[in-house]
Amino acid sequence: MAMDAEMEPRVFLFQADGLVKTRRAIFLGDEKLQTADDRLLQEADRVQETGPFTVTEKEKAPPSGDKHDYTSMGPYWWPDPKEPDGMPYVRRDGEVNPESRKSDRQALAGMCAAVDTLSTAYFFSDYESFAERAGLLLRCWFLDEATRMNPHLEYGQAIPGRCEGRGIGIIDTLQFSRLVDAVGLLGASAEWNAEDQEGLEIWFGKYLDWLLESDKGRDEGRQANNHGTWYDVQVISLALFVGREEVARRVLMESVLGRVASQIEPDGRQPFELKRTRSLDYSIMNLIGFFDLADLGRHCGLDLWGFEAENGSSIKIAFYWLIENALGKNEWEYQQISEFEQGKLIPLLRRGGIRFGDPSCEERLRELEGVDLEGDRSQLLYPGPRV
């Protein structure tokens, strides 16, 4: 499995040659990258002590009785104050019930974040201890017989008193699209071998089949908002990871092109996200999903970055509408019940600037308030004019 460190990694969301260029610059001592690289190494040192994470550690078994089945609870559902037992739960959009954190969702997020950090730090440093820990975390979650997760999400985002799981629970695994790129960054390490890679591809092949064939998977694929967007991101990235390019291309042609027209207005607004109580966060989240779809499309010969639907909608128009309204002189006029962190705009502005050839995005980045731009990981993952 090991490969020459200067060979391009097998990644789908990131631009492989750009990562190699950044890696080479770091080894040559590029001072412009030092702050981001130092911060990444510090974060990797910290997460080496976390985990391992497993689905089998939960106290209560899911309805199936099998602790290997992933379970989570819908985050915006709360006990009904009008009912003595609180059942069935009622929805309060944008308000997270702390009870929902007592599930596999937190462990999954912790595992994905740790593997992402460790794998990225390994790629840019060659420190085998990072790859060793990332491999351990991956094997515990996906491969080891005693702790591995079953490849389905039948019990994702359950609602007490209403249902044991929902199709929209598939949003819980949106990190998987980034995770398979993190695995690609381990390619040069002896700590991630051919057997590990084969086992993980088999697991994700089964999960891909479940996404495509199960009732819950098909339901999520029909969603007209960020849920549908991120479902497509998962399906396409996993299909590319397991070598099923025909599936990736079919979803791009039959689903994604239509999403551009149905989820983005000709003026750039994303109406389904603007309805939410945290409309700015959800608009950014959905647009990042479209950015990921555009990068994935390059592997199938489809230019989504330059695509314009018949009604005039495009990813580019959505990007500029969002930037102007989030960072313009006028206040955001839609509902946003929580404080917005401007740091969430860093990868969006950097990627948009690169893909649309717009140097003014770098000026916008420097105008963001309360962010550590020089230390942000985007400086390494999306190398722009700073490299």
Side-chain angles (χ1 to χ4, degrees), residues 28 50 67 99 136 168 203 210 232 240 243 265 301 303 307 319 335 345 367:
L28 291 174
T50 62
K67 282 194 173 183
E99 184 184 350
L136 172 67
I168 65 173
W203 194 97
W210 182 84
D232 284 351
L240 292 171
E265 293 292 310
D303 178 20
F307 172 74
F319 170 70
Q335 194 171 11
L345 290 168
E367 293 171 357

Side-chain angles (χ1 to χ4, degrees), residues 5-26 120 123-124 181 184-185 377 380-383 387:
E6 286 300 300
M7 290 179 61
E8 294 183 358
R10 185 173 182 257
V11 292
F12 309 103
L13 291 174
F14 300 123
Q15 193 161 334
D17 59 349
L19 295 177
V20 172
K21 178 183 177 183
T22 302
R23 172 189 157 86
R24 188 177 300 122
I26 289 172
T120 306
F123 179 80
F124 289 124
D181 269 23
L185 297 180
R377 202 176 299 181
L380 307 175
L381 298 176
Y382 304 109
V387 180

Side-chain angles (χ1 to χ4, degrees), residues 10-12 151 176-177 180-181 183 196-212 234-248 296:
R10 185 173 182 257
V11 292
F12 309 103
F176 282 171
S177 56
V180 295
D181 269 23
V183 172
D196 295 327
Q197 183 72 19
E198 180 181 9
L200 196 64
E201 290 183 14
I202 290 172
W203 194 97
F204 275 116
K206 292 178 179 178
Y207 188 60
L208 175 62
D209 286 337
W210 182 84
L211 289 175
L212 294 170
Q234 288 191 64
V235 168
I236 294 166
S237 60
L238 299 187
L240 292 171
F241 179 69
V242 302
R244 294 167 63 178
E245 186 177 316
E246 74 286 353
V247 172
L296 292 169

Side-chain angles (χ1 to χ4, degrees), residues 248-266:
R249 182 166 182 78
R250 175 174 58 79
V251 174
L252 282 162
M253 299 302 295
E254 296 181 4
S255 178
V256 174
L257 293 181
R259 286 195 191 282
V260 175
S262 64
Q263 293 184 217
I264 300 171
E265 293 292 310

Side-chain angles (χ1 to χ4, degrees), residues 1-2 189-201:
M1 182 62 193
S189 175
E191 299 296 337
W192 184 254
N193 59 40
E195 183 179 355
D196 295 327
Q197 183 72 19
E198 180 181 9
L200 196 64
E201 290 183 14

Side-chain angles (χ1 to χ4, degrees), residues 57-317:
E57 289 182 346
K58 54 181 171 278
E59 295 180 3
K60 184 179 179 181
S64 64
D66 186 351
K67 282 194 173 183
H68 293 269
D69 289 340
Y70 174 93
T71 62
S72 69
M73 175 184 146
Y76 302 147
W77 292 84
W78 296 72
D80 187 344
K82 298 178 182 179
E83 301 296 334
D85 62 355
M87 298 291 183
Y89 276 28
V90 293
R91 188 168 184 264
R92 289 157 53 177
D93 186 37
E95 301 179 41
V96 177
N97 182 347
E99 184 184 350
S100 69
R101 298 190 175 102
K102 301 175 183 179
S103 69
D104 291 327
R105 187 177 187 183
Q106 293 299 105
L108 173 64
M111 181 274 297
C112 289
V115 170
D116 183 39
T117 294
L118 291 164
S119 300
T120 306
Y122 162 74
F123 179 80
F124 289 124
S125 71
D126 281 347
Y127 292 167
E128 287 290 337
S129 62
F130 295 152
E132 180 182 7
R133 188 65 181 181
L136 172 67
L137 297 180
L138 288 165
R139 284 187 287 272
C140 284
W141 191 274
F142 295 105
L143 303 179
D144 292 350
E145 186 173 349
T147 57
R148 66 190 179 193
M149 171 185 166
N150 289 330
H152 67 77
L153 232 64
E154 287 292 334
Y155 306 110
Q157 292 207 14
I159 304 172
R162 293 182 183 271
C163 65
E164 296 177 341
R166 299 176 292 161
I168 65 173
I170 292 170
I171 199 77
D172 285 9
T173 56
L174 66 82
Q175 306 104 315
F176 282 171
S177 56
R178 179 76 171 252
L179 187 73
V180 295
D181 269 23
V183 172
L185 297 180
L186 295 174
S189 175
E191 299 296 337
W192 184 254
N193 59 40
E195 183 179 355
D196 295 327
Q197 183 72 19
E198 180 181 9
L200 196 64
E201 290 183 14
I202 290 172
W203 194 97
F204 275 116
K206 292 178 179 178
Y207 188 60
L208 175 62
D209 286 337
W210 182 84
L211 289 175
L212 294 170
E213 299 170 6
S214 69
D215 289 341
K216 288 184 173 65
R218 290 172 177 167
D219 177 66
E220 184 75 335
R222 289 190 291 266
Q223 298 300 311
N225 62 355
N226 66 84
H227 280 269
T229 304
W230 282 101
Y231 171 86
D232 284 351
V233 172
Q234 288 191 64
V235 168
I236 294 166
S237 60
L238 299 187
L240 292 171
F241 179 69
V242 302
R244 294 167 63 178
E245 186 177 316
E246 74 286 353
V247 172
R249 182 166 182 78
R250 175 174 58 79
V251 174
L252 282 162
M253 299 302 295
E254 296 181 4
S255 178
V256 174
L257 293 181
R259 286 195 191 282
V260 175
S262 64
Q263 293 184 217
I264 300 171
E265 293 292 310
D267 66 359
R269 289 178 300 114
Q270 301 174 65
F272 298 109
E273 313 311 323
L274 294 176
K275 295 177 181 178
R276 306 298 296 269
T277 59
R278 294 167 55 226
S279 59
L280 182 51
D281 283 297
Y282 274 98
S283 293
I284 290 172
M285 175 191 180
N286 194 49
L287 186 55
I288 288 174
F290 274 112
F291 272 30
D292 283 357
L293 289 170
D295 276 337
L296 292 169
R298 294 182 299 115
H299 296 275
C300 298
L302 182 63
D303 178 20
L304 276 170
W305 289 109
F307 172 74
E308 182 177 304
E310 290 185 2
N311 67 346
S313 299
S314 69
I315 295 174
K316 183 176 182 179
I317 288 174

